[in-house]
Amino acid sequence: MTDPIPTDPQHPAVAQHPTGGVPRWRLPPGETNTELLLAIAEFDTPFLLTASLSHGLGSSALTLDRGKAGPDLLATFRRAGDRVLLLVHNKHHRAAGDTAATRAGTEGFAGSVLWSGPIVREDGPAAVVDVTTLALTDLHGIADHLRERDQGDYTVDPATSLAHPTDASGGPHGIRLPALLTLRGRATGAAVRSLAPLPDTLTLVQRMELLPLPADPLPPRPYHPASGGYGVGHRDHGGPVPGAEVRFQPRFRLTEPVVFLVDPAVPEPIHSAVLEGGNWWQEAFDAAGLPGAFRVETAPEDLDLSDPAHHTVWWVHRDGRGWSHGQTLSDPRTGEILHGRVRLGSQRVAQLTALAEALLAPYGQPDEAARRAAVQDLVLRRIRHLAAHEIGHALGFMHNFASHHHPRPSVMDYPHPHLTVTPDGELDTTHAYSQGLGPWDHFLVAHAYGQTPGEELRRAAAAQGLLYLADEDASGPDAAHADAVPWTVPVADPFTALDQALEVRRTALARFSRSVLPPDRQTGELEDRALLLHLYHRHQLTAVARLVAGVRYGYAQAGDPGAAGATPVAAADQWRALRRTADLLHPSVLTLPPTVLHTLTPPAIRYRRDPDALRGQTGRTFDPLTAAAAATALVSTELLTPARLNRLAWQHATDPALPAPADVAGTLLGTLVPDPETDDGVARLVRTTATAVVQRQLHALLADERTHTVVREALRPHLDASPAHPDPDPTPLPWIPPGAPL
């Protein structure tokens, strides 16, 4: 791919930074073992300023992990008499052009003086500055992070915080200023109180990093919204249309191989799976005409994973269910990725193992060895995929939540285990997770790193039917695209995928027993395993429900060929989806089988339920009606949202063949009408419970200011105004235990 390269020497993508014949920064000897000195040879030269955590908090909910990189800032040192200022510049608003244009851009937007310190002495061409107080700055934003999550109001305590001069280091890749930060405050959040030995006093280790920008900037590659890459850039106030957005495709410079080094703390066989999955990307680089450009290896035992000279994969221990992450640090002038860092949460292995054991019930069976091998195989398949996925983010690639429609799914999708039931009633896990790259992953590498023109690649991808849809169009209550759903199986027809998931669920629940738990685990954990199966169909349900008021569209630029706009899903498919989703409110789906309920026992003494567990109302015992309410809420929270019903009202007005908002409420409530001929006592209880959940969701819609007035009026006739329920039920909506990440 050949892209235009700016030639104006004042353009931020071309400007060279002089070295002055000496290193930009260096660490001179300190006078004391607590004094951190920095010799600055260049002033007013931009660099990246960031901070990572080498010792974290250990909470999945708070994500202040070991290895987490903080915000990256564009900064300069400025000399002011006998002091030095550290200025942070606005990297999102700039101006290209001549000196006057760039000055106007700089002066038009405020910067920030982050720190100031005295010059200790002159050392040849360099000024030596005491940066001890800079190192003790909460640059990572730990205190703000905790405050925003209602965990407490903390500040750095200088009396118990300490810079680490002996651990500071410098080299061609920059300077690191490590410090032990102690934050004091009043702990108000459960996450902090459950983890810290003294919740009012939190001590973490921050490594502040000063990273030079390349003296020879990588020619920027323009970003295209259909590229699958992250678009990084700024608003250019110096062009013919001031304020126009300029975005670049993030990518590594390939003058040397890009090597990711895996934390040696990752145990086997997980370690080998991470190496194998990460190295799947080699195939795409080879196919793009870049053989040997990428590889994943094991880091040496003595490697400092925090060193920005290396791209790294960290093994992170945390409390509770959490995500893994792939991060990049890039040159704001060009989008060049300077550093890639991945954090793999170790608790993912436990989550996957629990799901696999719940499905396969291996323990105490005649074929226990084979079943346990299948459990491990499922886990390792997912870990390979996870490693490729997170490294893909660090290569500059976004999610693609529509790849289940591709001939082979992308590793940048969120995969659900694809199990099927064999003719003899066994669960087949052979194809639980796809192994290797899909055609979209090859496209990503070719578009970001190869030399084939991007327009040609995008045309070829479209001809292959390679849909691309990312986060905002796939996740959350505002997601509208019919084909963008995370955690669905690689089956293009969502109805087939849902039927398969329900068959797997029925099969696994039918043989549920203590065999789903290792023999040395307390039986209270059986509740968690049962719940995994009870809600197993949740993501395939979402894929079907997304068709109701669903639309289809694509990412493009105005000059691209093809039609723009959003097209509603056909009426027949919307009605089918509505009825199929409502079918999931039948008591046979909402209720766990008696054989499962008779197996469950409360947690043993000295054990407790997980915070994410079902929140029952029967005291110590498992609550079947709360489980039914949670399964009902899977349906009601998908369909009864303001955005979906607002869309549906307009769609129905333009095409009366499509369902109306009132049809959604009527279909759900109609499914829950008691059947006096077939309902037993349990079914009646479950229908009453499920009806109350749907009614509470309808009342919530009426109280939500985001619901259009016409939708509120259409739903009012379906609200329960019987003497038993004269007012909106004040009970909150049911808690749905989280189902992701898988």
Side-chain angles (χ1 to χ4, degrees), residues 420-429 503 507:
T420 54
V421 180
T422 65
D424 58 356
E426 292 297 321
L427 294 182
D428 183 1
T429 64
E503 188 178 14
T507 301

Side-chain angles (χ1 to χ4, degrees), residues 384-407:
R384 293 185 196 103
H385 195 286
L386 178 66
H389 179 100
E390 302 303 344
I391 290 174
H393 282 317
L395 287 169
F397 306 143
M398 293 190 72
H399 292 129
N400 186 353
F401 292 134
S403 82
H404 54 282
H405 291 275
H406 298 181

